[in-house]
């Protein structure tokens, strides 16, 4: 799972703790193991836990849940994207535009979609928060943007894991320059067949 909680400082930390507690209850205790159902349960749980029907709380998170077994990769995303290399080319699966948390009323028919990929076809997986692509920098102090990030993922795809990390860090540092980092940055990657 790769998650990005709303809020900074104490509110963000509080949401992270709630999310971890609820995910543990959903996956470990209730044994919900399908990514789209994990998201659905988490959405209901956060909504209930924070009493979002009547409170002013808009807290929640964007996240991607990926389950990899011997045969396939199953993915569901809430307001987040999932990137994977297949045949040396980077592909993106845009997540559902359905928040986990927030004070919008939850409708019973709203569900998360499930992406199923044959494991043997996927060379590498990237999951991330929006912090990298939203970072301001470069010569014109603009956002890095998703397109540039996807090009970077494709370029570093064939590299060993340590070199991928180094390339990501160097690119971010160079783009940001002397400006401030505007958000938390999370990039998670793995080779499913390694």
């Amino acid at each position: 799972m790769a998650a990005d909680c709303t809020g900074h400082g104490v509110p963000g930390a509080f949401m992270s703790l709630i999310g971890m507690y609820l995910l543990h209850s959903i996956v470990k205790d209730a044994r919900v193991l399908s990514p789209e159902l994990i998201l659905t349960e988490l959405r209901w749980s956060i909504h209930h836990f924070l009493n979002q029907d009547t409170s002013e709380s808009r807290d929640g998170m964007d996240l991607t849940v990926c389950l990899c077994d011997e045969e396939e990769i199953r993915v569901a995303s809430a307001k987040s994207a999932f990137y994977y290399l297949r045949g040396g080319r980077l592909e993106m699966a845009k997540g559902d535009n359905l928040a986990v948390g927030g004070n919008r009323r939850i409708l019973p028919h709203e569900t998360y979609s499930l992406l199923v990929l044959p494991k043997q076809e996927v060379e590498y997986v990237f999951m991330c928060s929006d912090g990298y692509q939203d970072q301001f920098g470069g010569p014109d102090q603009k956002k890095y943007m998703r397109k540039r990030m996807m090009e970077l993922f494709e370029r570093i795809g064939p590299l060993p894991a340590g070199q991928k990390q180094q390339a990501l860090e160097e690119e971010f540092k160079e783009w940001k320059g002397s400006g401030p980092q505007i958000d938390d940055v999370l990039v998670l990657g793995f080779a499913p067949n390694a």
Side-chain angles (χ1 to χ4, degrees), residues 10-73:
V10 173
F14 183 61
M15 191 67 241
S16 296
L17 289 172
I18 291 170
M20 289 299 296
Y21 168 76
L22 294 173
L23 283 167
H24 186 272
S25 296
I26 292 164
V27 176
K28 294 283 187 186
D29 299 338
R31 305 294 299 158
V32 176
L33 300 176
S34 192
E36 80 285 9
L37 299 178
I38 292 170
L39 288 180
T40 300
E41 288 297 317
L42 182 61
R43 184 169 186 242
W44 279 98
S45 297
I46 286 175
H47 195 80
H48 176 73
F49 192 88
L50 297 177
N51 199 21
Q52 291 183 326
D53 278 331
T54 57
S55 74
E56 293 297 316
S57 169
R58 295 180 172 272
D59 294 325
M61 62 183 75
D62 302 342
L63 76 153
T64 299
V65 178
C66 177
L67 181 87
C68 186
D69 63 25
E70 292 179 13
E71 300 292 321
E72 59 191 19
I73 298 171

Side-chain angles (χ1 to χ4, degrees), residues 76-97:
S77 296
K79 299 192 81 156
S80 189
F82 177 78
Y83 306 91
Y84 56 100
L85 282 168
R86 180 163 46 182
R89 301 288 302 170
L90 188 77
E91 297 182 37
M92 179 188 79
K94 195 170 183 183
D96 292 303
N97 191 23

